[in-house]
């Protein structure tokens, strides 16, 4: 990286907070994208660690002068390569914007620096009288700003929705350098076009989030986990709307195929407690009283029995619940080392059994397996494309295309929660028309006329 | 309107569905905007009533050729003049797109033509086993597409949020004529930029909504209404977060000043049942069981007593509840005939008592009154600017500016739920910087390069 650029950045942020030595920037080049998918990082980059929005504004204004890409980087827990630099540029690490975090109990909101991690937020909330923030992606090292930029999801979308539903305000440094506040401690705001919602899920391409205002809720203290087993995917799937229509909204309704979850348990030296059937629903309840928890657990078992459930297990102790959750959480770890892609498709929830049947057919066509788990309550299925003899198979691109096309039959989405980034971008034309992508480019230009902010992510200008 | 244009439109929609006779278009020129605020409608317009997206696409393509504005019009229940033509153009009435409405119980969603009214939807949902749609603005004549375009709110935002939270998919005719589907029967979709959320609240300026996919929920059958009275606004306000922090989420928490609500009751020949104090909270609960309803009602009264409530009334019978709701709903009717503006400000919920104190001070400055009611649970206050001797006072613009500036002190919004339209547009610079408004114009251009769709609404190009 040009010595003049480094000098100018040091002038803005101080010598200690500009890193260009290749031996020290390794941790800033990649995120958690699967090995086989990630683009190779460009190493002609400089890492800057600004302390606030004002320094970021100066950096961005300078970047516009010299037309140098700026790549905002949060916790690096993303799965789509959005923060992997694919060309020379300035990596803007948000790690120092992690000091301020203020819980506003009267408005049931928190205002925090965007570099605050989810772990930090949850620690802070433990000090309150039972306030909590409901969104929880896999990794608590995720930063709040990154969670907004990626519109994080997770298992609890059935009850709590996704990140978008809980973002009320943002401080943003625009790609042209202005610092603006979008929304606020507001539940309702209908003035003008909603730039706040444009920012959610924009993956660092439309602005750099420097503060977040998130909605908080009263914690429901009684949680329970049920496993309900079925001999048929259709029965398992049909049970889901019957539960929701009965007025019960679980925190999560997870879909696990027995062979997949048993493999994940073996991998941990544990045993999956539900033995019967070929597929389980794992249902997590979160209720205000113990009575509600029991009543709803029983009601769910009754409903499942109407749909031919062959077994039901109610995990009552904290230890039993933790055991089940750990095995479910370990599916990713158990499979990803033998996989080359962990996909992230969404379909209408009721289409899940048809989509899973399609996965079987596609697997047979390529003489492989496509193990999957998923958030069936919200139609989000994660399936793995497996290696062949430990290597990337020759049909890797073909099978992914078949899988995406299968999802499109049901009006599905290429990515439900991981985001488009750099790794899913080329599949966008399967889901969107040329005119829609053209409009997206126009939106990008409206925010970022010089295209300096995280280029190569979501759309190419 | 040019005879050639009328001829071409008749060719697209049929002779019966193109109306240009001035005596017959009167019902298509205005919405429900206050008399003193509405712009004068341009009468050099033609009303077309297309039957589907395909005809709309043809109309829009033609309008691009001749650069003629197109004004999409729903139920005409809006309050901001968005559908009042301020220049020659084609009024596109959505009334015939009102046939298809399909409840999908398995996905807990409904897919409907955008011209279907809220009344039609609610009638259809009565046929289901207890599914409901939670958003309810004042008028059931609102069309679903219009409710999306205006991001409708209402009293139940505390529990159910706003329209945006429940829109999952849209079919849209873009301003350039392409017919696209945004989202779908999907709970999660993170592919590309979210054009669906850009469309919500865009007031017919970015696209013409022709189908909507909305989320449905299991109805909670037990509703109750509480009135809790206070001698102090601050106590009333402080009670609200205490209720929410306790884990109780009422359907609505309304704020009523005693003198305002008593006037509304008198206007109807009724009596407001709560006599004590100067301000009431009206709290509506909606629970799954009668036990929950009673337990939560009692818990709320206990909390309110800690904040010095001077009286509590639990309306148990359907008749008592209806009585209270009718009086509350009548506030608008009671005051609007003596008012020249019913404003729609939002502030952080905990700032409501400070903002109301500001309203008192501003009223004193102009020697008038500023009666207000509001959704205190979500910080949305509706205050009335009253006539002076039955006329628009000379200080009309000044007082509104003072009120908006007061709201801005708390990080508030010019419009919480009514939308920007034509009547609030000029105040946008109070809430947004020049660069933000410039970006909004860029977004508009990305969708609508010729600026033909509902020009003059939200932004001017």
């Amino acid at each position: 990286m040009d010595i003049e650029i480094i000098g100018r950045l040091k002038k803005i942020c101080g010598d200690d907070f500009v890193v260009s030595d290749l031996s020290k920037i390794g941790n800033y080049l990649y995120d958690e994208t699967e090995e086989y998918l990630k683009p190779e990082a460009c190493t002609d980059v400089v890492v800057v660690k600004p302390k606030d929005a004002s320094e970021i504004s100066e950096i961005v204004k300078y970047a516009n002068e010299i037309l140098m890409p700026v790549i905002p980087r949060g916790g690096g827990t993303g799965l789509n390569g959005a923060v992997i630099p694919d060309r020379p540029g300035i990596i803007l690490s948000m790690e120092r914007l992690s000091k301020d975090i203020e819980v506003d109990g009267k408005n049931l909101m928190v205002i925090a620096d965007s570099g605050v991690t989810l772990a930090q937020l949850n620690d802070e909330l433990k000090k309150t009288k039972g306030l909590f923030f409901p969104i929880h992606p896999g990794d608590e090292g995720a930063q709040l700003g990154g969670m907004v930029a990626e519109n994080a999801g997770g298992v609890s979308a059935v009850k709590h929705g996704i990140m978008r539903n809980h973002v009320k305000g943002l401080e943003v440094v625009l790609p042209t350098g202005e610092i603006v506040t979008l929304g606020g401690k507001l539940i309702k705001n209908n003035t003008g076009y909603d730039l706040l919602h444009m920012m959610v899920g924009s993956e660092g391409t439309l602005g750099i989030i420097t503060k977040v205002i998130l909605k908080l809720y009263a914690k429901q203290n009684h949680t329970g986990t049920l496993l309900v087993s079925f001999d048929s995917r259709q029965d398992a799937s049909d049970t889901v709307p019957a539960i929701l229509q009965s007025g019960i909204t679980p925190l999560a309704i997870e879909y696990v195929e027995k062979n997949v979850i048993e493999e994940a348990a073996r991998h941990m030296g544990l045993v999956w407690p539900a033995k019967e059937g070929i597929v389980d629903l794992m249902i997590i309840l979160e209720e205000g009283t113990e009575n509600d928890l029991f009543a709803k657990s029983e009601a769910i078992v009754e409903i499942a029995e109407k749909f031919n459930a062959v077994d039901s297990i109610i995990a009552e102790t904290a230890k039993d619940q933790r055991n089940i959750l750990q095995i479910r959480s370990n599916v990713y770890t158990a499979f990803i080392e033998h996989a080359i892609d962990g996909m992230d498709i969404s379909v209408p929830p009721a289409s899940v059994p048809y989509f899973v049947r399609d996965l079987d057919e596609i697997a047979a066509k390529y003489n492989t397996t496509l193990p999957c788990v998923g958030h069936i309550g919200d139609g989000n299925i994660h399936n793995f494309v497996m290696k062949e003899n430990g290597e990337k198979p020759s049909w890797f691109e073909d099978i992914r295309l078949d899988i995406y096309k299968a999802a499109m039959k049901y009006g599905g989405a290429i990515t439900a929660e991981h985001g488009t980034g750099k790794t899913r971008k080329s599949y966008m034309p399967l889901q969107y028309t040329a005119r829609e992508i053209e409009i997206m480019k126009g939106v990008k230009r409206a925010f970022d006329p010089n295209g300096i902010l995280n280029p190569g992510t979501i759309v190419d200008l």
Side-chain angles (χ1 to χ4, degrees), chain A:
Chain A
M1 180 58 60
D2 191 301
I3 197 84
E4 199 186 312
I5 295 174
I6 292 171
R8 180 74 175 264
L9 293 171
K10 283 184 173 172
K11 231 170 158 179
I12 297 171
C13 298
D15 289 4
D16 292 350
F17 302 110
V18 178
V19 186
S20 57
D21 183 343
L22 199 55
S23 70
K24 291 181 185 153
I25 61 171
N27 286 338
Y28 294 90
L29 296 178
Y30 290 100
D31 57 10
E32 293 178 10
T33 302
E34 290 93 342
E35 200 57 33
Y36 284 86
L37 296 183
K38 65 187 186 191
E40 200 182 334
C42 171
T43 54
D44 185 13
V45 293
V46 52
V47 176
V48 291
K49 304 175 184 178
K51 74 167 193 291
D52 58 18
S54 158
E55 285 187 2
I56 294 172
S57 166
E58 279 190 71
I59 295 165
V60 165
K61 283 177 186 163
Y62 174 56
N64 271 285
E65 276 171 38
I66 59 171
L67 296 179
M68 170 65 71
V70 174
I71 302 119
R73 182 184 172 90
T77 60
L79 294 165
N80 63 35
V83 298
I84 302 175
D86 64 355
R87 66 198 77 187
I90 301 165
I91 294 177
L92 199 74
S93 174
M94 305 302 283
E95 64 199 76
R96 288 176 69 215
L97 283 86
S98 57
K99 283 192 265 316
D100 288 347
I101 171 166
E102 184 205 328
V103 174
D104 176 350
K106 285 207 167 183
N107 283 306
L108 281 91
M109 296 196 197
V110 60
I111 176 162
D113 285 343
S114 62
V116 165
T117 63
L118 182 59
Q120 263 179 285
L121 172 63
N122 287 337
D123 279 349
E124 193 67 27
L125 291 177
K126 278 183 197 140
K127 301 176 197 163
T128 68
K129 290 190 189 137
L131 288 177
F132 95 119
F133 182 67
I135 302 300
H136 201 289
D139 191 328
E140 286 215 336
Q143 293 178 3
L144 301 181
M147 288 171 66
V148 176
E150 294 296 332
N151 189 20
V155 298
S156 68
V158 181
K159 183 165 185 176
H160 296 300
I162 52 177
M163 199 68 187
R164 178 184 300 285
N165 305 126
H166 310 288
V167 183
K168 298 304 161 194
L170 295 175
E171 181 189 77
V172 172
V173 180
L174 293 172
T176 39
E178 300 85 351
I179 303 171
V180 298
T181 302
L182 306 175
K185 288 182 180 172
L186 298 175
I187 312 285
K188 290 176 174 171
N189 172 19
N190 249 354
T191 317
Y193 294 136
D194 201 320
L195 301 185
L196 173 78
H197 277 279
M198 203 69 240
M199 204 59 64
V200 178
S202 67
E203 305 192 342
T205 65
L206 301 183
I208 299 152
I209 297 164
T210 48
K211 280 190 193 298
V212 301
I213 298 176
L214 305 175
K215 191 89 188 65
L216 300 175
Y217 303 84
K219 194 163 168 54
Q220 311 264 285
N221 283 315
H222 300 269
T223 62
T225 303
L226 280 84
L227 292 178
V228 196
S229 306
F230 299 85
D231 277 335
S232 133
R233 288 166 174 167
Q234 189 65 51
D235 282 339
S237 174
D238 287 345
T239 302
V240 177
I243 294 169
L244 297 172
Q245 286 174 13
S246 79
I248 299 171
T249 306
L251 181 72
I253 309 180
E254 294 287 294
Y255 173 93
V256 286
E257 303 239 320
K258 196 77 86 182
N259 55 347
V260 172
I261 199 76
E262 284 176 346
E263 175 64 32
R266 259 194 304 277
H267 187 261
M268 298 177 79
L270 293 171
V271 175
W272 184 247
K275 304 291 177 204
E276 308 293 317
I278 60 158
V279 56
D280 297 327
L281 294 181
M282 177 183 130
I283 299 161
I284 308 176
L285 287 166
E286 182 198 61
E287 301 295 328
T289 66
E290 202 157 12
N291 274 348
D292 267 6
L293 183 62
F294 284 128
K296 290 184 180 175
S297 300
E298 280 175 23
I300 289 173
V301 171
E302 266 176 45
I303 291 166
E305 281 169 357
K306 282 188 200 151
F307 291 93
N308 312 310
V310 292
D311 193 19
S312 319
I313 295 173
I314 302 182
E316 291 182 21
T317 69
K319 193 186 154 205
D320 284 352
Q321 287 192 50
R322 209 163 42 232
N323 189 18
I324 292 170
L325 288 177
Q326 272 180 352
I327 299 172
R328 166 63 188 86
S329 303
N330 194 52
V331 169
Y332 188 81
T333 319
F335 282 86
I336 200 67
E337 61 179 281
H338 306 292
I340 45 179
D341 193 4
M343 296 174 76
D344 170 45
I345 278 166
S346 91
V347 293
S351 301
V352 166
Y354 307 106
F355 177 65
V356 173
R357 186 198 55 201
D358 291 346
L359 287 179
D360 280 349
E361 285 172 11
I362 294 167
K365 174 178 167 189
Y366 292 92
N367 196 23
T368 183
T369 58
L370 288 165
C372 71
V373 283
H375 318 310
I376 191 171
D378 57 54
N380 181 189
I381 295 297
H382 297 296
N383 70 272
F384 297 93
V385 179
M386 304 306 286
K387 293 178 191 167
E388 197 180 40
N389 306 317
E391 298 291 335
K392 179 173 167 177
S394 58
W395 37 259
F396 172 54
E397 290 297 345
D398 298 333
I399 199 170
R400 294 209 306 174
L401 197 59
D402 281 357
I403 294 167
Y404 285 133
K405 283 183 178 166
M408 294 304 114
K409 283 193 304 185
Y410 308 105
I414 299 294
T415 169
E417 55 185 16
H418 294 173
T420 313
K422 297 187 174 75
T423 60
R424 310 288 168 196
K425 185 175 62 173
S426 63
Y427 297 100
M428 274 177 50
L430 292 174
Q431 190 178 334
Y432 297 124
T433 62
R435 178 65 191 141
E436 286 167 273
I437 294 171
E438 202 177 298
I439 290 174
M440 291 181 197
K441 290 180 184 180
V443 169
K444 166 74 174 165
R445 266 184 226 106
F447 279 84
D448 184 12
N450 293 323
I452 60 136
L453 206 56
N454 209 6
T457 295
I458 302 184
V459 289
D460 290 305
L461 290 188

